[in-house]
Amino acid sequence: MTRLILRRLAISVSLVFVVSLLTFLLQSLTPGDTARTILGSNYTPEGYAQLREQLHLDQPLLAQYGNWLGHALTGDLGTSPISGLGVGTEIAHRLGVTLALVLGTTVVATVVGIGLGVLTAVRGGRLGRAVDVLSMVGFALPSFWLALVLVVLFAVAIRLFPATGYVPFLESPGGWVASLVLPVAALSVHGIAHLAKQTRDGMLDVLSRDFVHTLRANGVPERSIIFRHALRNAAIPVVTVIGLMLISLLGGTVLVEAVFAMPGLGGLAVQSTTQHDLPMIQGVALTFTLIVVVVNFAVDLAYGWLNPKVRVP
């Protein structure tokens, strides 16, 4: 297991470096730059050149990246030239919103999806066909459309939940939960559909194997067979789906945050890109990459726990 962890850590460090470099290079290829955004449409060539020099935009790209990387390694992500705010401070302020959406959606989708998958694998019949229909609907409906429908139904018509905004947990735990219900519900449908079908298919495959018939013949309780043996053997592809779902939610929250006017990292990334705010873009990209690294690392550890063969290099 130790060698597996060290190998994954080495890959993770390389991934962070590559993503930060590619983000820097791709942003430099987009039309316009930070200096033009700050100066607006009316500026003199002399003023433009002076501001570029002040922002170090006149340096070669690799020199700019090396300067950013040197500061980033010390924990300094720089300051936004557009807003004047510290990049680390602004990301820390918005990170909680995005994590609340992503983790809340993951928990809801995992509990409901796996529960439905196990139930339909055991019961089958109409319930199994209902899950198949749910999967098709869940895959077809985009999250932002579901978000708009939920706002109309539960915020405008019934007025049960707030239509927009985010309430910090420390300010009001009840308000925090209420502000997350609709966005989490909109984001969870796709994950529930995928996990329910994956769990059901995996469980049906395991329950048909010879060792399950042997366990039943030896009088092992059905509950133990389902949850201790069948679910664990079917769990590796389910864990993979959970990891992929969590990573995909980082991009999926962008539109949902916009619909519910939530101050998360997705909106910050879009805003920074339109303003050519390179330090802020780099900070958001680095944060997203670190989250992906942590998720992949957790999935690898789960593989090692569920299947000891994975630990062997």
Side-chain angles (χ1 to χ4, degrees):
M1 179 64 80
T2 303
R3 296 184 64 179
L4 173 66
I5 293 175
L6 292 176
R7 189 164 64 249
R8 292 296 186 268
L9 285 176
I11 295 174
S12 300
V13 171
S14 302
L15 177 64
V16 172
F17 172 77
V18 170
V19 169
S20 65
L21 178 60
L22 287 177
T23 303
F24 197 93
L25 295 177
L26 290 174
Q27 177 62 24
S28 67
L29 297 176
T30 59
D33 60 19
T34 308
R36 285 195 175 93
T37 302
I38 295 175
L39 293 173
S41 57
N42 298 320
Y43 60 87
T44 62
E46 295 78 11
Y48 173 67
Q50 182 179 0
L51 184 57
R52 280 182 58 85
E53 182 179 357
Q54 181 181 343
L55 298 175
H56 306 292
L57 298 176
D58 58 332
Q59 297 179 359
L61 282 177
L62 291 181
Q64 295 180 47
Y65 175 74
N67 183 49
W68 175 86
L69 182 61
H71 287 87
L73 290 175
T74 64
D76 179 15
L77 297 178
T79 302
S80 167
I82 305 296
S83 64
L85 300 174
V87 174
T89 302
E90 185 66 10
I91 288 176
H93 178 69
R94 291 173 175 259
L95 180 60
V97 181
T98 299
L99 287 181
L101 281 175
V102 171
L103 295 179
T105 301
T106 302
V107 170
V108 171
T110 299
V111 172
V112 177
I114 292 178
L116 280 175
V118 172
L119 183 62
T120 54
V122 175
R123 297 289 179 85
R126 294 181 179 179
L127 194 57
R129 291 191 292 272
V131 168
D132 290 336
V133 173
L134 173 65
S135 299
M136 294 175 59
V137 174
F139 289 134
L141 298 180
S143 297
F144 71 89
W145 183 84
L146 284 173
L148 293 172
V149 171
L150 291 175
V151 167
V152 172
L153 292 178
F154 297 101
V156 178
I158 303 179
R159 297 185 179 180
L160 189 60
F161 300 105
T164 59
Y166 174 80
V167 179
F169 178 80
L170 296 178
E171 181 179 319
S172 172
W176 177 75
V177 172
S179 66
L180 288 175
V181 169
L182 294 184
V184 167
L187 289 169
S188 298
V189 172
H190 184 274
I192 290 173
H194 200 170
L195 281 171
K197 186 165 181 58
Q198 182 66 61
T199 303
R200 174 172 171 257
D201 292 345
M203 287 285 294
L204 288 175
D205 177 64
V206 174
L207 289 173
S208 65
R209 295 181 185 176
D210 293 338
F211 81 91
V212 173
H213 299 309
T214 303
L215 290 173
R216 285 175 174 155
N218 290 331
V220 177
E222 189 68 18
R223 182 182 296 271
S224 178
I225 293 175
I226 293 172
F227 292 102
R228 186 177 177 181
H229 299 281
L231 185 57
R232 179 163 184 171
N233 280 273
I236 285 187
V238 174
V239 169
T240 302
V241 172
I242 293 173
L244 292 175
M245 177 184 65
L246 204 155
I247 292 172
S248 67
L249 285 172
L250 294 176
T253 56
V254 174
L255 293 175
V256 173
E257 285 176 5
V259 171
F260 292 98
M262 305 184 76
L265 286 181
L268 181 62
V270 174
Q271 175 186 332
S272 301
T273 302
T274 58
Q275 295 177 339
H276 300 282
D277 190 346
L278 186 55
M280 197 68 75
I281 295 171
Q282 286 289 103
V284 173
L286 180 63
T287 303
F288 280 162
T289 305
L290 290 176
I291 293 174
V292 171
V293 166
V294 171
V295 171
N296 286 333
F297 190 66
V299 169
D300 287 336
L301 291 179
Y303 285 166
W305 177 70
L306 292 169
N307 185 2
K309 294 179 181 179
V310 178
R311 306 175 195 173
V312 180

